[in-house]
Amino acid sequence: YHGTMRIISGKGLAYLVLYAFIGIYDLILVPYLFHLPHYLTLGSIVPFLLPYLLACIFFGMAISVFFWNRENSLLLYLSTSVPLLFISGFSWPATSIHPFWKMVSYFFPSTFGIQGFIKMNTMGASITQIGFECMGLWVQAGFYFIFAFFVYRWQIHQSEKKINR
């Protein structure tokens, strides 16, 4: 153990490298190979994909403290994926979503990610035109980074207490 910041940064960078390749493959290469209509280019998706991936990575690291084994996190994922899809405004009109649920949706990176991706890929919006979504993702990435830092720090102190007993 050489510091909480090193652990958070190291794990975050490892996840970022892995998921950046997957994201670029899914968002650039697959539509190109199957001749799907899309407006995305590598230069337009990377500035949006970076804050989205960071927000998702640090969100996952922050809530990992609530799960003692991996199987429980999959149960939460399965039970929340459909409601989050609906409140993101992708499959349900955003104007029909109650304001309370709209505010709840802003706690999850998927809402800003879905809205930004839809605007870029179907409407041809540039990165400057989805500034609200990008800013929301950067705020989430920063907030969840700080939250993950304190969560990991708490976990390390708890394990050190057990070792010292």
Side-chain angles (χ1 to χ4, degrees):
Y1 170 66
H2 295 287
T4 309
M5 188 65 76
R6 287 184 181 187
I7 294 171
I8 300 290
S9 301
K11 286 179 80 169
L13 185 60
Y15 291 135
L16 181 66
V17 169
L18 176 67
Y19 291 124
F21 284 117
I22 294 170
I24 291 171
Y25 171 78
D26 285 342
L27 299 175
I28 300 294
L29 191 60
V30 169
Y32 175 77
L33 291 175
F34 291 102
H35 303 289
L36 299 173
H38 67 286
Y39 291 108
L40 297 176
T41 62
L42 189 62
S44 67
I45 196 61
V46 169
F48 180 69
L49 193 60
L50 178 66
Y52 175 70
L53 289 178
L54 289 174
C56 289
I57 289 165
F58 295 135
F59 175 73
M61 290 171 69
I63 66 169
S64 69
V65 70
F66 300 111
F67 302 103
W68 294 104
N69 45 12
R70 296 177 189 182
E71 293 80 15
N72 292 343
S73 65
L74 288 175
L75 293 174
L76 179 70
Y77 174 75
L78 288 173
S79 64
T80 58
S81 59
V82 173
L84 286 176
L85 183 66
F86 277 111
I87 65 175
S88 70
F90 171 69
S91 60
W92 193 264
T95 56
S96 298
I97 299 171
H98 191 275
F100 171 76
W101 292 112
K102 192 89 165 149
M103 291 303 295
V104 169
S105 74
Y106 290 144
F107 285 101
F108 300 94
S110 59
T111 300
F112 293 116
I114 288 171
Q115 289 299 317
F117 177 74
I118 288 172
K119 289 177 183 178
M120 288 178 77
N121 197 40
T122 58
M123 295 185 239
S126 67
I127 194 70
T128 58
Q129 293 170 324
I130 58 163
F132 175 73
E133 288 82 5
C134 280
M135 185 58 63
L137 288 170
W138 279 115
V139 167
Q140 283 183 340
F143 174 77
Y144 288 129
F145 177 83
I146 294 167
F147 188 53
F149 175 83
F150 287 112
V151 163
Y152 271 57
R153 190 174 201 174
W154 177 79
Q155 282 183 329
I156 290 167
H157 287 301
Q158 293 299 318
S159 65
E160 286 176 346
K161 283 183 187 178
K162 287 181 183 178
I163 291 171
N164 293 333
R165 280 189 221 166

